[in-house]
């Protein structure tokens, strides 16, 4: 069935280093992918998205890479800061569908 | 703009009690969703609505009912609460699918404990 999963459940990085969070998806029909950040006690918050006609998209300190050949998505955070500590979810959906499928999440710890 | 708001923030119920969770959005979004989040399981879709007066089942609809009488509100009801419904509930909304605004905006969550 459809699924969105993550390779690493937890990730610990040193402040100032770059972080990479990975995600695998299985539905080849998915054409829209989103990364969300969830801080403790809060709802998920949109970080960045990418459509299937793109391989890379950059935001402020964040970059999402999409490899459709191997159904892989990654989120890169540059110069990771303590405020980046949170759980990160990847999600997928497809045009014409009503639902978004979320992965289980990766917890990012930033060490000062 | 308040975005997506949820009421209440916390609630403790006894088994068999009923309650309604209220979600409101002021972004004129067409689509609204109710999710539950349990440790290690991510977000699971309970019910969703693609417009005023419409509702549909999601991944885990049993034990829940919903109503979308007004475009801005989406209500989640528990008729007879069970301990298995202890969870954090999130509401989300999004503009009409097919545009570049498929991003879901989430509320702050409702933490529900059923004893």
């Amino acid at each position: 069935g459809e699924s969105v999963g993550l390779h690493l459940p937890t990730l610990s990085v040193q402040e100032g280093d770059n972080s990479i969070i990975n995600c695998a998806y299985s539905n080849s029909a998915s054409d829209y992918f989103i990364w969300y950040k969830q801080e403790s006690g809060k709802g998920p918050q949109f970080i960045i998205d990418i459509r299937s006609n793109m391989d890379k998209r950059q935001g402020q300190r964040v970059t999402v890479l999409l490899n459709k050949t191997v159904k892989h998505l990654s989120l890169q955070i540059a110069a990771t800061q303590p405020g980046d500590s949170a759980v990160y979810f990847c999600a997928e959906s497809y045009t014409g569908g009503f639902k978004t499928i979320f992965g289980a999440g990766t917890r990012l710890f930033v060490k000062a | 703009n308040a975005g997506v708001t949820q009421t209440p923030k916390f609630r403790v119920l006894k088994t068999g009690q009923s309650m309604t969770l209220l979600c409101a959005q002021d972004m004129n979004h067409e689509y609204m969703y109710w999710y539950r989040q349990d440790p290690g399981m991510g977000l699971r879709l309970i019910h969703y609505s693609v417009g005023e007066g419409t509702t549909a089942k999601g991944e885990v609809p049993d034990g829940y009912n919903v109503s979308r009488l007004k475009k801005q509100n989406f209500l989640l009801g528990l008729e007879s609460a069970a301990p298995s419904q202890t969870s954090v509930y999130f509401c989300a909304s999004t503009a009409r699918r097919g545009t570049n605004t498929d991003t879901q905006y989430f509320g702050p969550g409702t933490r529900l404990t059923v004893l």
Side-chain angles (χ1 to χ4, degrees):
Chain A
E2 300 174 1
S3 68
V4 175
L6 297 172
H7 296 312
L8 298 174
T10 61
L11 178 64
S12 183
V13 300
Q14 198 70 38
E15 180 179 0
D17 288 350
N18 296 334
S19 303
I20 299 176
I21 301 173
N22 295 303
C23 177
Y25 66 94
S26 60
N27 185 2
S28 57
S30 293
D31 59 5
Y32 181 63
F33 305 88
I34 315 107
W35 281 100
Y36 288 92
K37 173 186 180 182
Q38 186 177 24
E39 296 174 287
S40 181
K42 297 183 179 180
Q45 182 179 14
F46 170 86
I47 302 173
I48 192 168
D49 60 357
I50 188 168
R51 295 200 175 274
S52 59
N53 60 352
M54 301 173 69
D55 298 321
K56 179 180 179 179
R57 192 171 188 208
Q58 288 184 296
Q60 187 176 12
R61 282 202 307 118
V62 294
T63 300
V64 55
L65 299 178
L66 175 63
N67 185 331
K68 295 181 286 296
T69 302
V70 294
K71 297 190 183 68
H72 185 266
L73 193 67
S74 69
L75 176 70
Q76 300 178 359
I77 305 174
T80 312
Q81 303 169 358
D84 295 327
S85 293
V87 176
Y88 290 82
F89 295 93
C90 63
E92 62 174 316
S93 64
Y94 57 92
T95 302
F98 300 120
K99 306 174 190 176
T100 298
I101 300 170
F102 291 85
T106 291
R107 183 173 297 278
L108 176 65
F109 292 100
V110 181
K111 297 177 288 186
Chain B
N1 264 354
V4 180
T5 58
Q6 291 182 232
T7 308
K9 288 185 170 56
F10 303 94
R11 186 72 184 269
V12 178
L13 292 177
K14 294 181 179 178
T15 296
Q17 287 185 316
S18 63
M19 78 163 294
T20 300
L21 282 66
L22 172 64
C23 176
Q25 53 92 6
D26 60 2
M27 297 174 284
N28 200 36
H29 283 170
E30 292 289 339
Y31 292 65
M32 296 187 74
Y33 307 82
W34 274 108
Y35 295 92
R36 60 177 289 172
Q37 185 176 42
D38 301 295
M41 299 190 72
L43 291 160
R44 292 186 293 169
L45 183 63
I46 304 171
H47 286 280
Y48 64 99
S49 168
V50 299
E52 181 179 321
T54 72
T55 63
K57 294 181 180 180
E59 182 185 358
V60 288
D62 293 343
Y64 305 95
N65 57 76
V66 289
S67 63
R68 183 102 181 265
L69 299 180
K70 293 182 179 181
K71 185 177 183 179
Q72 63 267 34
N73 295 337
F74 195 29
L75 278 64
L76 177 70
L78 286 73
E79 291 186 348
S80 179
S84 61
Q85 294 178 304
T86 293
S87 187
V88 181
Y89 292 85
F90 288 100
C91 176
S93 71
T94 186
R96 184 181 298 277
R97 219 168 259 288
T99 69
N100 288 325
T101 53
D102 288 335
T103 303
Q104 293 191 26
Y105 294 85
F106 285 84
T110 294
R111 185 173 295 275
L112 175 66
T113 301
V114 183
L115 303 176

